[in-house]
Amino acid sequence: MGDPAGVSPELTAKFLDLPEAKREARIVVFGDARILDEGAAVAGVSLDLDRVDTPEAARSSGRNVLVDLKNLAPAEVRRGEATAEGGAFATRNFREALLMAHRGEADAVCFTPFNKKAMRYAYEGYDDEIRFVADVTGFRGKVREFNVLPNIWNARVTSHVPLKDVASHLTEDAILAEIDLTLRCLAEAGIESPRILVAGLNPHAGDGGSFGREEIEIIEPAVAKAKAKGYAVEGPFPSDTVFLRALKEGWHAVLTMYHDQGQIAMKMMGFDKGVTMMGGLPFPLTTPAHGTAYDIAGKGIADVGATREALRLAIRMAKRRGRFAQAAE
């Protein structure tokens, strides 16, 4: 369960009521029963799941199960406000889920939206979920955040860095590494023969060097190296048309150079269906791409569409990883 002051409690309840959650996976929820019950009341759903007190007890349940951590009283929730109490609730829930997956007892992790301000109150230095995952599990491999819609993915070379620093982070190796990871994640999600378009950094992709030389000196050589490896990759293309080209021509993903270059396009195309996925981890990690929606919290109108897509992607990737592991044995 994510931030208790936003739509996360009602989305968690709606999540558990989805046919996919009842039919295609066994869900272990971490949170407080009182908060979840309030979310169910707001969402207007009736929950049918076992309730236990420890992660160990969850193993013996053959049904969907709530691990009741008893970690937040409803009276402590200030709806629509980021607080230390809410951040502590979300970070504890997230930590327990990550550790369960890290121990190999869960195939994937899916969370309803966090509020980063609240998380920072509770966890000093909280930058983003990738940093937190590394701190909790000790995983030191390459992890990257992807935004996913049913018909297009967005990968990016830089993420949570100031715009003024983006160009200094771009290297041929960094771009090639993102192409490698993107193709692997697309394949894990069941996309056969994945293909990627690469965006430029500057207006009009630099216009032959008129508006910057990163395309000529960094991005084009990286794309050439990717193509030499046999990858289906083209670019760089101007960022204001690259998504239009990808959709029209049936490309599977667009690799952008910085956060908002892709985020704006993705959220305009599918705010109610967008998923954020952390690629590169030993297990799939997904969440709806929208935020905590403090302005509509408690009204029962939160759209479960993106949460459903996050669940579907987690299930799909977990099943394929299971098959890959069996094939390797």
Side-chain angles (χ1 to χ4, degrees):
M1 296 182 67
D3 189 271
V7 295
S8 282
E10 59 198 89
L11 284 180
T12 303
K14 290 180 178 181
F15 175 103
L16 289 165
D17 197 48
L18 291 170
E20 297 93 327
K22 299 175 180 178
R23 182 183 65 244
E24 298 182 28
R26 188 170 72 88
I27 311 296
V28 179
V29 181
F30 288 95
D32 190 296
R34 297 166 292 180
I35 301 297
L36 181 58
D37 287 342
E38 283 200 348
V42 169
V45 300
S46 179
L47 299 179
D48 179 24
L49 74 170
D50 292 341
R51 300 178 183 227
V52 299
D53 294 326
T54 66
E56 292 73 23
R59 299 178 195 151
S60 61
S61 173
R63 307 189 322 129
N64 288 348
V65 57
L66 167 69
V67 179
D68 185 4
L69 300 175
K70 301 178 176 63
N71 53 340
L72 187 67
E76 297 180 87
V77 178
R78 298 203 292 272
R79 187 168 285 165
E81 183 178 343
T83 66
E85 292 81 7
F89 173 79
T91 52
R92 171 77 188 283
N93 300 340
F94 195 25
R95 179 186 297 274
E96 293 293 343
L98 290 172
L99 289 173
M100 190 174 207
H102 181 62
R103 294 191 298 265
E105 297 167 4
D107 299 310
V109 174
C110 187
F111 59 91
T112 47
F114 296 146
N115 180 281
K116 287 184 172 57
K117 182 178 180 181
M119 302 290 257
R120 291 189 190 101
Y121 284 146
Y123 190 85
E124 186 175 355
Y126 187 98
D127 296 324
D128 55 26
E129 287 70 45
I130 294 174
R131 155 80 183 279
F132 188 78
V133 171
D135 289 351
V136 170
T137 68
F139 183 76
R140 293 294 179 263
K142 180 178 178 56
V143 183
R144 180 59 75 199
E145 186 176 286
F146 293 84
N147 286 95
V148 180
L149 289 172
N151 58 344
I152 190 75
W153 286 40
N154 173 222
R156 51 187 183 258
V157 181
T158 68
S159 188
H160 296 128
V161 300
L163 191 57
K164 66 181 178 62
D165 297 333
V166 168
S168 66
H169 284 75
L170 299 182
T171 66
E172 289 182 36
D173 287 345
I175 294 168
L176 192 58
E178 296 303 332
I179 292 171
D180 282 329
L181 180 59
T182 302
L183 289 169
R184 189 169 85 241
C185 290
L186 286 166
E188 288 179 355
I191 296 174
E192 304 293 339
S193 303
R195 305 189 306 144
I196 303 173
L197 289 185
V198 178
L201 171 69
N202 298 296
H204 305 291
D207 194 21
S210 300
F211 308 124
R213 296 192 57 82
E214 285 82 5
E215 286 78 10
I216 296 171
E217 297 175 359
I218 301 172
I219 304 174
E220 287 179 7
V223 171
K225 287 182 178 179
K227 294 174 74 171
K229 295 175 72 172
Y231 295 160
V233 180
E234 296 288 346
F237 296 102
S239 59
D240 59 353
T241 57
V242 67
F243 281 92
L244 295 172
R245 179 188 292 264
L247 292 172
K248 182 178 180 179
E249 299 177 1
W251 294 78
H252 299 108
V254 173
L255 176 64
T256 51
M257 297 298 113
Y258 59 92
H259 186 277
D260 286 2
Q261 193 179 36
Q263 283 276 66
I264 293 171
M266 295 293 282
K267 291 190 176 182
M268 286 291 290
M269 288 188 291
F271 185 80
D272 60 344
K273 295 181 180 178
V275 175
T276 299
M277 188 274 291
M278 312 298 168
L281 290 167
F283 49 86
L285 176 61
T286 67
T287 185
H290 60 72
T292 49
Y294 280 166
D295 57 324
I296 63 169
K299 297 181 180 179
I301 60 174
D303 191 321
V304 75
T307 306
R308 173 188 284 115
E309 295 301 326
L311 172 62
R312 287 174 173 169
L313 181 60
I315 291 172
R316 191 162 67 247
M317 294 186 75
K319 286 182 175 179
R320 286 185 64 84
R321 286 191 181 195
R323 288 198 292 272
F324 291 156
Q326 289 174 3
E329 293 172 0

